[in-house]
Amino acid sequence: HVHLAGSPAIAACLAGLLLGKKVVIKVGGGRGIGEIALSSRTWAGRLKLALLRAFDPQFIAVTQDLADEMAEHGLGGRIRVIPNGVDTGQYRPARPEEKAALRAELGWPDGLLLLYVGRLALEKRLVAFLDVFARFCAGSAADRRPVSIALVGSGPEEANIRLAVTRFELAGKVFLSPPAHSIDR
């Protein structure tokens, strides 16, 4: 089992062939911006896609849209769609009083809050999102209620995101929080 259809996937396919084992590849990204689309734009990427077609491993896509894109690139032989899931037995929406207490604990303001939870990586385009958000905030606010953003995660773009918050004058509107690895609630 390997995550992403990059070089490790080719190595896994070779190992599977030599050892007589099945190979499962979980493909990441999204239509037009993920690894399949990026691979289709270069000769090395197209070679990788051709090798994957020849090896014919089992693919897992997290959305039907991604599975459709894979099929358009000839990888449609064996794709299963398995969405990223949430255990609804363990997780549920917070009650209003819990939500207010959590916001106060985290230092997040009342009002509309846009929440992003994930890796702070270039392909997530969070700096571009903050640029658009800043222009939205700079527009006419006569009929608009307050809105803020919480970005929860860590990754290689964290420093650039912090610079963007300063450059776009979004202090007090954008909140960065590290991921919580265990929650005792």
Side-chain angles (χ1 to χ4, degrees):
H1 175 241
V2 65
H3 284 268
L4 306 179
S7 299
I10 300 299
C13 287
L14 286 171
L17 183 66
L18 292 172
L19 299 171
K21 301 290 182 182
K22 294 180 180 179
V23 176
V24 177
I25 301 170
K26 180 182 178 245
V27 178
R31 178 178 282 282
I33 62 167
E35 58 188 314
I36 301 301
L38 293 175
S39 293
S40 70
R41 295 180 188 134
T42 68
W43 71 268
R46 289 188 294 276
L47 175 61
K48 177 183 67 178
L49 293 176
L51 288 170
L52 289 174
R53 283 190 292 275
F55 283 121
D56 193 31
Q58 173 71 57
F59 287 103
I60 295 173
V62 295
T63 66
Q64 185 60 52
D65 195 39
L66 183 55
D68 293 344
E69 180 180 41
M70 292 170 66
E72 291 165 12
H73 288 279
L75 300 172
R78 299 188 315 139
I79 302 173
R80 291 194 58 197
V81 176
I82 303 175
N84 291 328
V86 173
D87 180 353
T88 57
Q90 182 173 354
Y91 301 102
R92 59 165 175 74
R95 291 185 299 274
E97 62 276 5
E98 292 172 317
K99 193 181 290 187
L102 286 168
R103 280 179 178 238
E105 181 183 325
L106 294 168
W108 295 349
D110 290 332
L112 180 61
L113 177 73
L114 306 177
L115 175 64
Y116 168 86
V117 179
R119 233 170 8 99
L120 305 181
L122 184 63
E123 65 268 18
K124 305 298 183 176
R125 301 195 44 135
L126 294 168
V127 171
F129 175 69
L130 293 177
D131 181 25
V132 171
F133 180 66
R135 285 186 270 146
F136 167 80
C137 291
S140 172
D143 296 324
R144 191 178 314 140
R145 65 184 190 171
V147 61
S148 54
I149 298 173
L151 303 173
V152 179
S154 62
E157 279 293 288
E158 185 172 345
N160 288 334
I161 290 168
R162 290 187 186 283
L163 286 172
V165 168
T166 301
R167 184 173 69 239
F168 300 140
E169 299 177 357
L170 293 172
K173 293 181 182 176
V174 175
F175 303 88
L176 273 77
S177 298
H181 295 288
S182 65
I183 298 175
D184 299 327
R185 288 187 172 62

